[in-house]
Amino acid sequence: DQLLARERELDSTYQRFRDADLTLDLTRGKPSPAQLALSDGLDADAGGYVAADGTDTRNYGGLDGLAEARALGAAVLGVRPDEVIAGGNSSLTLMYLYLLNAWLYGPAGPGSAWRDGGAVRFLCPVPGYDRHFAILEDLGIEMINVAMTEDGPDMDEVEACVRDDPSVKGIWCVPKYSNPGGQVYSDTTVDRLGRLGTIAGSQFRIMCDNAYAVHDLDDDPPQLANIMDACRRHGTEDTLVLFASTSKVTRAGAGISFVSSSVTNLATLRKRRQVLTIGPDKVNQLRHVRFLRDLDGIRAHMRKHAAILRPKFELVLQQLSALDGAGMGSWTSPRGGYFLSFDALPGLATGIVKLAADAGVKLTPAGATFPYRRDPDDANIRLAPTFPEVAELDQAMQVFVV
Ligand code: PLP
């Protein structure tokens, strides 16, 4: 009787939401207008167009990016400047280029093209980032799900796959504040990733997308161990390819991007880049360096983002706490990044997303966080709290919880 009464109560609340004609959106992993405004200083006259080494940034050239932009990327990624190329407006473009190069020409130069070696498989920690999976799907590379744990990918599973199956040519990683769960890889996971190259073939690559390297919410953020250092310890630098961008530091889709790898790997990538472009947008690189200055400057800037984002994440967690102990699912409590991950009871994610949509709340489609858009448990839902205003977020989460 109590359960039936509770069901009637929830039904009537849900109906009230439906009648309210809401149009709310929790799908967008985008900075809010208030966050974007933090970087309006980019447009200030910051002292002309000439870079430190005399380069006129308005002209062609400088394929690897400005020296000061490469140094900034090196500081963010924890590597040497000569191990960094500073690119254009999107790190995703650099990821696509890297994989396309590996597929067509080979990650280790002539004779190593993935497409010439039979089946190619890739490990995809799940839930993960749909656009990573889209690149592999586009190239026809078969994706294998690997479980995510609180410490990062299940490394027992990863090592077993790499050891037993030479067709496994790589793994996606978002090592800090993973999309969507917000996990930070543990020191042990980082060390085991560094060791992977000792059991994998020379064509194996760790596609390490550190998109949220500086996107902390707390004043005492979790520390990610240095992945390149782990590779150096194990002599596997050629295995690692790192990416980052300022899309969620300054302007989404109008910032600067970075790719980092061993000097040998960058030389291979450069062969493609020199056909693709005469050089990146150095004007934008220079104004970014002048605006952000260095890693301390970035950290100070990111604290302003955190002041806007922390209340939003807290609100989502506070709303979800209504489900505490209800046995209705579990969720992550990220300390940074852009997302939370909610696991409903198996088989319910699609239904929840539909019920929410019928009440005017758009959620990321169920399955989107898995390769081929297929969540075998139909359980995972990605929540993106950054873009909506607090009041909208509050309403959307009330609907979600009901
Ligand atoms: N990588 C991850 C993990 C992301 O979540 C996103 C955007 O949501 C991107 C990359 C996109 O990066 P960019 O704007 O530099 O292409």
Side-chain angles (χ1 to χ4, degrees):
D1 287 348
Q2 281 176 334
L3 281 171
L4 287 171
R6 179 77 179 129
E7 187 181 23
R8 276 194 299 277
E9 192 187 322
L10 289 170
D11 266 345
S12 90
T13 314
Y14 177 68
Q15 201 49 51
R16 266 208 314 282
F17 286 136
R18 285 187 66 137
D19 295 343
D21 274 339
L22 306 171
T23 40
L24 302 167
D25 193 334
L26 277 187
T27 65
R28 295 168 294 192
K30 301 201 293 192
S32 62
Q35 288 177 269
L36 295 173
L38 296 174
S39 298
D40 286 351
L42 275 169
D43 296 322
D45 178 9
Y49 298 102
V50 180
D53 65 357
T55 300
D56 185 337
T57 58
R58 295 167 300 184
N59 225 326
Y60 276 140
L63 188 63
D64 288 351
L66 290 181
E68 46 269 66
R70 297 172 76 186
L72 192 69
V76 169
L77 288 168
V79 296
R80 299 194 314 256
D82 66 330
E83 293 168 325
V84 176
I85 291 175
N89 72 317
S90 160
S91 60
L92 207 58
T93 305
L94 293 171
M95 296 175 218
Y96 190 89
L97 181 67
Y98 191 85
L99 288 174
L100 188 65
N101 174 59
W103 176 254
L104 287 176
Y105 297 92
S112 68
W114 285 347
R115 65 170 171 167
D116 296 338
V120 178
R121 300 192 172 88
F122 224 83
L123 303 180
C124 297
V126 290
Y129 179 38
D130 54 349
R131 288 180 185 273
H132 287 165
F133 305 151
I135 297 176
L136 297 177
E137 197 172 356
D138 193 55
L139 295 174
I141 293 173
E142 187 187 328
M143 294 178 262
I144 301 173
N145 294 359
V146 172
M148 269 299 276
T149 73
E150 272 181 26
D151 292 330
D154 180 332
M155 289 306 293
D156 289 342
E157 218 179 315
V158 169
E159 285 163 1
C161 287
V162 168
R163 195 179 296 116
D164 299 343
D165 185 353
S167 73
V168 171
K169 298 294 188 214
I171 180 171
W172 276 116
C173 290
V174 182
K176 194 166 171 195
Y177 308 132
S178 280
N179 178 348
Q183 297 90 344
V184 180
Y185 290 15
S186 69
D187 292 357
T188 308
T189 300
V190 168
D191 189 66
R192 289 173 79 175
L193 282 172
R195 213 169 52 213
L196 266 190
T198 64
I199 55 173
S202 62
Q203 297 171 14
F204 183 86
R205 292 294 178 271
I206 301 170
M207 292 289 285
C208 190
D209 177 5
N210 208 351
Y212 301 107
V214 290
H215 302 59
D216 307 310
L217 290 174
D218 298 347
D219 293 334
D220 61 335
Q223 300 297 319
L224 175 71
N226 186 309
I227 302 181
M228 185 57 104
D229 283 353
C231 287
R232 287 194 224 285
R233 264 197 312 280
H234 295 287
T236 62
E237 298 95 301
D238 288 345
T239 320
L240 184 65
V241 196
L242 289 157
F243 301 89
S245 79
T246 67
S247 273
K248 282 150 188 171
V249 176
T250 54
R251 292 174 176 170
I256 59 177
S257 59
F258 308 103
V259 53
S260 168
S261 195
S262 68
V263 169
T264 318
N265 277 346
L266 288 190
T268 309
L269 186 64
R270 203 171 281 122
K271 290 199 178 119
R272 302 287 90 66
R273 273 181 60 78
Q274 70 196 12
V275 181
L276 190 71
T277 178
I278 308 175
D281 179 350
K282 299 183 297 302
V283 174
N284 200 28
Q285 290 187 353
L286 186 58
R287 59 188 185 149
H288 268 79
V289 175
R290 285 179 176 157
F291 180 67
L292 296 169
R293 293 190 314 279
D294 51 21
L295 194 54
D296 283 343
I298 292 182
R299 291 205 190 289
H301 185 72
M302 294 315 288
R303 278 196 287 278
K304 298 180 196 163
H305 280 280
I308 297 171
L309 291 179
R310 208 181 301 117
K312 295 187 178 182
F313 276 80
E314 282 169 0
L315 174 70
V316 171
L317 289 172
Q318 183 247 320
Q319 293 268 10
L320 287 172
S321 70
L323 301 176
D324 268 341
M328 295 300 293
S330 57
W331 55 93
T332 57
S333 305
R335 296 179 61 194
Y338 262 57
F339 304 100
L340 294 95
S341 176
F342 183 90
D343 277 324
L345 298 184
L348 293 188
T350 305
I352 292 170
V353 170
K354 178 161 188 330
L355 280 169
D358 291 347
V361 176
K362 211 166 141 191
L363 297 173
T364 307
T369 52
F370 282 71
Y372 312 107
R373 296 159 295 283
R374 269 201 311 267
D375 174 357
D377 293 326
D378 187 24
N380 189 252
I381 298 172
R382 181 180 92 164
L383 299 174
T386 61
F387 189 80
E389 292 298 327
V390 171
E392 289 174 341
L393 186 61
D394 190 28
Q395 251 191 337
M397 284 309 297
Q398 285 181 37
V399 175
F400 181 79
V401 167
V402 166

Short mmCIF file of all heavy atoms in Angstrom, two decimals, residues 170-210:
data_model
loop_
_atom_site.label_atom_id
_atom_site.label_comp_id
_atom_site.label_asym_id
_atom_site.label_seq_id
_atom_site.Cartn_x
_atom_site.Cartn_y
_atom_site.Cartn_z
N GLY A 170 45.61 0.11 -29.55
CA GLY A 170 45.60 1.32 -28.75
C GLY A 170 44.50 1.34 -27.71
O GLY A 170 43.68 0.42 -27.62
N ILE A 171 44.53 2.42 -26.94
CA ILE A 171 43.50 2.63 -25.90
C ILE A 171 43.23 4.12 -25.78
O ILE A 171 44.15 4.95 -25.93
CB ILE A 171 43.98 2.05 -24.54
CG1 ILE A 171 42.90 2.26 -23.46
CG2 ILE A 171 45.30 2.66 -24.08
CD1 ILE A 171 43.20 1.53 -22.15
N TRP A 172 41.97 4.48 -25.58
CA TRP A 172 41.62 5.87 -25.26
C TRP A 172 41.74 6.08 -23.76
O TRP A 172 41.31 5.20 -22.99
CB TRP A 172 40.18 6.18 -25.66
CG TRP A 172 39.96 6.55 -27.08
CD1 TRP A 172 39.24 5.86 -28.00
CD2 TRP A 172 40.44 7.73 -27.75
NE1 TRP A 172 39.24 6.52 -29.20
CE2 TRP A 172 39.96 7.68 -29.08
CE3 TRP A 172 41.22 8.82 -27.36
CZ2 TRP A 172 40.25 8.67 -30.02
CZ3 TRP A 172 41.50 9.81 -28.30
CH2 TRP A 172 41.01 9.72 -29.60
N CYS A 173 42.25 7.23 -23.36
CA CYS A 173 42.29 7.57 -21.94
C CYS A 173 41.94 9.05 -21.76
O CYS A 173 42.42 9.89 -22.53
CB CYS A 173 43.69 7.37 -21.38
SG CYS A 173 44.18 5.65 -21.27
N VAL A 174 41.11 9.36 -20.79
CA VAL A 174 40.92 10.74 -20.33
C VAL A 174 41.34 10.69 -18.86
O VAL A 174 40.53 10.38 -17.99
CB VAL A 174 39.47 11.22 -20.49
CG1 VAL A 174 39.33 12.68 -20.06
CG2 VAL A 174 39.01 11.06 -21.94
N PRO A 175 42.63 10.97 -18.59
CA PRO A 175 43.20 10.57 -17.30
C PRO A 175 42.75 11.42 -16.11
O PRO A 175 42.81 10.98 -14.98
CB PRO A 175 44.70 10.71 -17.53
CG PRO A 175 44.82 11.76 -18.58
CD PRO A 175 43.64 11.59 -19.47
N LYS A 176 42.32 12.64 -16.38
CA LYS A 176 41.88 13.49 -15.27
C LYS A 176 40.45 13.95 -15.51
O LYS A 176 40.14 14.51 -16.56
CB LYS A 176 42.83 14.70 -15.14
CG LYS A 176 42.66 15.42 -13.82
CD LYS A 176 43.79 16.38 -13.54
CE LYS A 176 43.44 17.23 -12.33
NZ LYS A 176 44.30 18.40 -12.21
N TYR A 177 39.59 13.71 -14.53
CA TYR A 177 38.17 14.05 -14.65
C TYR A 177 37.59 13.48 -15.95
O TYR A 177 37.08 14.20 -16.82
CB TYR A 177 37.95 15.56 -14.57
CG TYR A 177 38.60 16.20 -13.36
CD1 TYR A 177 39.38 17.34 -13.49
CD2 TYR A 177 38.46 15.63 -12.10
CE1 TYR A 177 39.98 17.93 -12.38
CE2 TYR A 177 39.06 16.22 -10.99
CZ TYR A 177 39.82 17.36 -11.13
OH TYR A 177 40.43 17.93 -10.05
N SER A 178 37.67 12.17 -16.06
CA SER A 178 37.21 11.45 -17.24
C SER A 178 35.83 11.90 -17.67
O SER A 178 34.98 12.19 -16.82
CB SER A 178 37.12 9.95 -16.94
OG SER A 178 38.37 9.37 -17.01
N ASN A 179 35.61 11.92 -18.96
CA ASN A 179 34.29 12.15 -19.52
C ASN A 179 33.64 10.78 -19.69
O ASN A 179 34.16 9.96 -20.44
CB ASN A 179 34.47 12.87 -20.87
CG ASN A 179 33.16 13.13 -21.58
OD1 ASN A 179 32.13 12.62 -21.21
ND2 ASN A 179 33.23 13.92 -22.64
N PRO A 180 32.53 10.44 -19.00
CA PRO A 180 31.69 11.31 -18.19
C PRO A 180 31.84 11.15 -16.67
O PRO A 180 31.22 11.92 -15.95
CB PRO A 180 30.29 10.83 -18.57
CG PRO A 180 30.44 9.35 -18.76
CD PRO A 180 31.84 9.16 -19.29
N GLY A 181 32.62 10.20 -16.17
CA GLY A 181 32.54 9.88 -14.75
C GLY A 181 33.33 10.81 -13.82
O GLY A 181 33.09 10.86 -12.63
N GLY A 182 34.28 11.55 -14.39
CA GLY A 182 35.08 12.46 -13.57
C GLY A 182 36.18 11.79 -12.76
O GLY A 182 36.79 12.41 -11.90
N GLN A 183 36.46 10.51 -13.06
CA GLN A 183 37.52 9.82 -12.32
C GLN A 183 38.90 10.41 -12.65
O GLN A 183 39.13 10.87 -13.77
CB GLN A 183 37.56 8.32 -12.68
CG GLN A 183 36.31 7.56 -12.33
CD GLN A 183 35.29 7.55 -13.46
OE1 GLN A 183 35.35 8.34 -14.39
NE2 GLN A 183 34.32 6.66 -13.35
N VAL A 184 39.80 10.34 -11.66
CA VAL A 184 41.20 10.72 -11.88
C VAL A 184 42.02 9.43 -11.75
O VAL A 184 41.90 8.72 -10.75
CB VAL A 184 41.67 11.75 -10.83
CG1 VAL A 184 43.13 12.12 -11.07
CG2 VAL A 184 40.78 12.99 -10.87
N TYR A 185 42.82 9.14 -12.76
CA TYR A 185 43.59 7.89 -12.74
C TYR A 185 44.54 7.89 -11.53
O TYR A 185 45.21 8.89 -11.25
CB TYR A 185 44.42 7.73 -14.02
CG TYR A 185 43.61 7.45 -15.28
CD1 TYR A 185 42.23 7.64 -15.34
CD2 TYR A 185 44.26 7.00 -16.43
CE1 TYR A 185 41.52 7.38 -16.52
CE2 TYR A 185 43.56 6.73 -17.60
CZ TYR A 185 42.19 6.94 -17.63
OH TYR A 185 41.50 6.68 -18.80
N SER A 186 44.62 6.74 -10.86
CA SER A 186 45.51 6.63 -9.70
C SER A 186 46.97 6.52 -10.15
O SER A 186 47.25 6.25 -11.33
CB SER A 186 45.14 5.38 -8.89
OG SER A 186 45.50 4.23 -9.65
N ASP A 187 47.88 6.72 -9.21
CA ASP A 187 49.32 6.61 -9.52
C ASP A 187 49.64 5.23 -10.09
O ASP A 187 50.45 5.09 -11.01
CB ASP A 187 50.16 6.84 -8.25
CG ASP A 187 50.05 8.28 -7.76
OD1 ASP A 187 49.39 9.09 -8.45
OD2 ASP A 187 50.62 8.58 -6.70
N THR A 188 49.00 4.20 -9.52
CA THR A 188 49.26 2.83 -9.98
C THR A 188 48.79 2.66 -11.42
O THR A 188 49.49 2.06 -12.25
CB THR A 188 48.53 1.81 -9.07
OG1 THR A 188 48.87 2.11 -7.73
CG2 THR A 188 48.90 0.39 -9.41
N THR A 189 47.60 3.20 -11.72
CA THR A 189 47.10 3.10 -13.11
C THR A 189 48.06 3.79 -14.07
O THR A 189 48.38 3.25 -15.14
CB THR A 189 45.69 3.74 -13.21
OG1 THR A 189 44.82 3.04 -12.34
CG2 THR A 189 45.16 3.69 -14.63
N VAL A 190 48.52 4.98 -13.68
CA VAL A 190 49.44 5.73 -14.56
C VAL A 190 50.72 4.92 -14.77
O VAL A 190 51.21 4.80 -15.91
CB VAL A 190 49.76 7.12 -13.95
CG1 VAL A 190 50.91 7.78 -14.68
CG2 VAL A 190 48.51 8.00 -14.01
N ASP A 191 51.24 4.32 -13.70
CA ASP A 191 52.46 3.53 -13.86
C ASP A 191 52.22 2.32 -14.78
O ASP A 191 53.05 1.99 -15.62
CB ASP A 191 52.98 3.07 -12.49
CG ASP A 191 54.36 2.44 -12.63
OD1 ASP A 191 55.30 3.18 -12.99
OD2 ASP A 191 54.48 1.21 -12.43
N ARG A 192 51.06 1.68 -14.60
CA ARG A 192 50.78 0.51 -15.44
C ARG A 192 50.55 0.92 -16.91
O ARG A 192 50.89 0.17 -17.82
CB ARG A 192 49.56 -0.26 -14.89
CG ARG A 192 49.92 -0.97 -13.58
CD ARG A 192 48.72 -1.60 -12.93
NE ARG A 192 48.31 -2.85 -13.53
CZ ARG A 192 47.32 -3.62 -13.03
NH1 ARG A 192 46.66 -3.24 -11.94
NH2 ARG A 192 47.01 -4.76 -13.62
N LEU A 193 50.00 2.11 -17.13
CA LEU A 193 49.88 2.61 -18.51
C LEU A 193 51.28 2.81 -19.10
O LEU A 193 51.53 2.48 -20.26
CB LEU A 193 49.11 3.93 -18.54
CG LEU A 193 47.58 3.83 -18.42
CD1 LEU A 193 46.97 5.23 -18.27
CD2 LEU A 193 46.96 3.12 -19.63
N GLY A 194 52.17 3.36 -18.26
CA GLY A 194 53.55 3.58 -18.71
C GLY A 194 54.22 2.26 -19.08
O GLY A 194 55.07 2.22 -19.97
N ARG A 195 53.81 1.18 -18.41
CA ARG A 195 54.44 -0.12 -18.65
C ARG A 195 53.82 -0.86 -19.84
O ARG A 195 54.41 -1.83 -20.34
CB ARG A 195 54.28 -0.97 -17.37
CG ARG A 195 55.44 -1.91 -17.13
CD ARG A 195 55.39 -2.53 -15.76
NE ARG A 195 54.09 -3.12 -15.48
CZ ARG A 195 53.52 -3.18 -14.27
NH1 ARG A 195 54.13 -2.66 -13.23
NH2 ARG A 195 52.35 -3.75 -14.08
N LEU A 196 52.63 -0.42 -20.27
CA LEU A 196 51.92 -1.14 -21.35
C LEU A 196 52.80 -1.38 -22.57
O LEU A 196 52.74 -2.45 -23.18
CB LEU A 196 50.69 -0.35 -21.80
CG LEU A 196 49.34 -0.66 -21.16
CD1 LEU A 196 48.25 0.08 -21.94
CD2 LEU A 196 49.07 -2.16 -21.13
N GLY A 197 53.59 -0.36 -22.90
CA GLY A 197 54.45 -0.46 -24.08
C GLY A 197 55.44 -1.60 -24.01
O GLY A 197 55.97 -2.03 -25.04
N THR A 198 55.70 -2.11 -22.82
CA THR A 198 56.66 -3.22 -22.69
C THR A 198 56.01 -4.55 -23.04
O THR A 198 56.71 -5.53 -23.30
CB THR A 198 57.27 -3.31 -21.26
OG1 THR A 198 56.20 -3.60 -20.34
CG2 THR A 198 57.95 -2.02 -20.86
N ILE A 199 54.66 -4.59 -23.02
CA ILE A 199 54.01 -5.85 -23.41
C ILE A 199 53.28 -5.73 -24.75
O ILE A 199 52.86 -6.73 -25.33
CB ILE A 199 53.03 -6.37 -22.33
CG1 ILE A 199 51.98 -5.30 -21.96
CG2 ILE A 199 53.76 -6.83 -21.09
CD1 ILE A 199 50.89 -5.84 -21.04
N ALA A 200 53.14 -4.50 -25.26
CA ALA A 200 52.45 -4.30 -26.54
C ALA A 200 53.49 -4.20 -27.66
O ALA A 200 54.67 -3.99 -27.41
CB ALA A 200 51.63 -3.02 -26.49
N GLY A 201 53.02 -4.32 -28.90
CA GLY A 201 53.92 -4.16 -30.04
C GLY A 201 54.28 -2.70 -30.25
O GLY A 201 53.71 -1.80 -29.62
N SER A 202 55.21 -2.45 -31.20
CA SER A 202 55.70 -1.08 -31.42
C SER A 202 54.63 -0.19 -32.05
O SER A 202 54.78 1.03 -32.10
CB SER A 202 56.92 -1.12 -32.32
OG SER A 202 56.56 -1.66 -33.58
N GLN A 203 53.54 -0.78 -32.55
CA GLN A 203 52.49 0.04 -33.19
C GLN A 203 51.39 0.44 -32.21
O GLN A 203 50.41 1.06 -32.60
CB GLN A 203 51.85 -0.72 -34.34
CG GLN A 203 52.81 -1.04 -35.45
CD GLN A 203 52.19 -1.98 -36.46
OE1 GLN A 203 50.99 -2.20 -36.48
NE2 GLN A 203 53.02 -2.57 -37.30
N PHE A 204 51.52 0.06 -30.95
CA PHE A 204 50.49 0.34 -29.95
C PHE A 204 50.59 1.79 -29.47
O PHE A 204 51.68 2.30 -29.23
CB PHE A 204 50.66 -0.61 -28.76
CG PHE A 204 49.61 -0.46 -27.71
CD1 PHE A 204 48.41 -1.15 -27.81
CD2 PHE A 204 49.81 0.38 -26.62
CE1 PHE A 204 47.43 -1.00 -26.84
CE2 PHE A 204 48.83 0.53 -25.64
CZ PHE A 204 47.65 -0.17 -25.75
N ARG A 205 49.44 2.45 -29.33
CA ARG A 205 49.43 3.84 -28.87
C ARG A 205 48.39 4.08 -27.78
O ARG A 205 47.25 3.60 -27.89
CB ARG A 205 49.14 4.80 -30.03
CG ARG A 205 50.25 4.89 -31.07
CD ARG A 205 51.52 5.51 -30.50
NE ARG A 205 52.61 5.54 -31.46
CZ ARG A 205 53.51 4.57 -31.64
NH1 ARG A 205 53.46 3.47 -30.93
NH2 ARG A 205 54.48 4.71 -32.52
N ILE A 206 48.80 4.85 -26.76
CA ILE A 206 47.86 5.32 -25.74
C ILE A 206 47.40 6.71 -26.15
O ILE A 206 48.20 7.65 -26.17
CB ILE A 206 48.55 5.38 -24.36
CG1 ILE A 206 49.08 4.01 -23.95
CG2 ILE A 206 47.59 5.93 -23.30
CD1 ILE A 206 49.97 4.03 -22.71
N MET A 207 46.15 6.81 -26.56
CA MET A 207 45.59 8.12 -26.95
C MET A 207 45.08 8.78 -25.67
O MET A 207 43.97 8.50 -25.20
CB MET A 207 44.46 7.94 -27.95
CG MET A 207 44.92 7.41 -29.29
SD MET A 207 45.85 8.63 -30.26
CE MET A 207 44.54 9.72 -30.82
N CYS A 208 45.92 9.65 -25.12
CA CYS A 208 45.67 10.18 -23.79
C CYS A 208 45.17 11.62 -23.90
O CYS A 208 45.96 12.54 -24.12
CB CYS A 208 46.98 10.10 -23.00
SG CYS A 208 46.74 10.45 -21.29
N ASP A 209 43.87 11.79 -23.78
CA ASP A 209 43.23 13.09 -23.99
C ASP A 209 43.06 13.78 -22.63
O ASP A 209 42.11 13.51 -21.90
CB ASP A 209 41.88 12.84 -24.68
CG ASP A 209 41.09 14.13 -24.87
OD1 ASP A 209 41.62 15.20 -24.56
OD2 ASP A 209 39.94 14.03 -25.35
N ASN A 210 44.02 14.66 -22.33
CA ASN A 210 43.97 15.33 -21.03
C ASN A 210 43.17 16.63 -21.14
O ASN A 210 43.65 17.71 -20.78
CB ASN A 210 45.38 15.56 -20.48
CG ASN A 210 45.40 15.58 -18.96
OD1 ASN A 210 44.34 15.59 -18.32
ND2 ASN A 210 46.58 15.61 -18.38
#
